[in-house]
Amino acid sequence: MTKCNLSNLKSVLAGTFMIVASCGATWAQAALPSGKTTVIYFGQQKAEDFETKVKPLFAEQARPCKSCEIVNYTPYTKDGAVDMEALRERISSLPQGTSFVFFDFNMKVNDHNKELVEVLNKKAEAGLVVVGTAGAPQAKEASSPLSRTVLGQVHGALIIGELAERDRLMPTGFYGPEMLTALRPPKEIMGQGYSPLIFAAVLAENWQKRSSQEWVEYFRSKKMKSRKIWLDLGDMF
């Protein structure tokens, strides 16, 4: 190889190295947390209930986190009811910067919502963390295992139940091994189903400590290693 060709080869290799290094830096920056934690909320309450009940409780529980926010992304009809038909589309097009989603309801899987399970699983496989309540059957509807519910069929979903007095599960709720844990809320709001929201707020406060995939593996490991029936917040964070 001539001296001239060797010099040219060194120049090409140097340029290639700079491009790769630049790309690597870009990818590294993209993988870093943005510094803001945005929780996307889906519920069955009216929009005004979100503003007067859900949002204030979230802010109170995540108080140390000045960059945490919860955004109501629930689709509503013109009458103000939850638009279940538009829910799947909303989940398919989450806002940019979504940290994780929180489902403030759960339901049995049927022909009308099985596509919702498929969409959520695709999102979960792509790295989205799904947090949700274990939930309870609708009025005049028999209970069933969590495995037959929407969230119970979402891979890696962090499902939270609620404990009542004497640390007992609510008798009408869905239950099964798919549940990460059940929490006892403050006495003044016990029985209102706010334990999963409290978990979501504390997770938001700590979100920047791990990647989304690391959080799912972290909680799974905590559950497997614990001898407790129900992990509390102090056990998990």
Side-chain angles (χ1 to χ4, degrees), residues 4-140:
C4 180
N5 288 339
L6 182 60
S7 177
N8 290 339
L9 178 60
K10 288 181 178 180
S11 297
V12 171
L13 290 175
T16 303
F17 176 78
M18 291 299 293
I19 292 172
V20 172
S22 175
C23 290
T26 301
W27 295 331
Q29 289 174 1
L32 290 174
S34 63
K36 187 173 184 179
T37 302
T38 301
V39 181
I40 298 301
Y41 175 92
F42 294 101
Q44 289 189 317
Q45 302 186 53
K46 295 181 179 179
E48 54 265 32
D49 290 332
F50 172 83
E51 293 295 333
T52 59
K53 298 177 182 179
V54 173
K55 195 171 181 179
L57 181 58
F58 177 90
E60 178 185 338
Q61 295 296 321
R63 187 177 302 167
C65 180
K66 303 300 182 182
S67 59
C68 293
E69 64 175 355
I70 187 167
V71 177
N72 189 7
Y73 209 51
T74 307
Y76 295 98
T77 63
K78 293 181 179 179
D79 299 328
V82 177
D83 188 349
M84 294 301 296
E85 297 296 327
L87 185 60
R88 183 168 58 89
E89 182 181 346
R90 281 291 177 94
I91 295 169
S92 299
S93 57
L94 293 171
Q96 187 175 4
T98 297
S99 300
F100 63 91
V101 298
F102 173 62
F103 275 80
D104 203 9
F105 68 97
N106 195 10
M107 63 184 75
K108 291 182 179 180
V109 175
N110 54 45
D111 291 338
H112 299 292
N113 59 33
K114 62 182 181 181
E115 290 185 352
L116 178 60
V117 177
E118 295 174 1
V119 172
L120 282 170
N121 272 320
K122 286 181 180 179
K123 287 289 187 179
E125 290 170 4
L128 178 69
V129 173
V130 178
V131 179
T133 176
Q138 298 178 4
K140 297 182 180 180

Side-chain angles (χ1 to χ4, degrees), residues 159-178:
I159 303 174
I160 310 298
E162 178 161 303
L163 297 175
E165 295 287 352
R166 300 180 182 178
D167 288 348
R168 293 180 178 178
L169 282 172
M170 302 299 291
T172 57
F174 297 124
Y175 171 73
E178 297 80 9

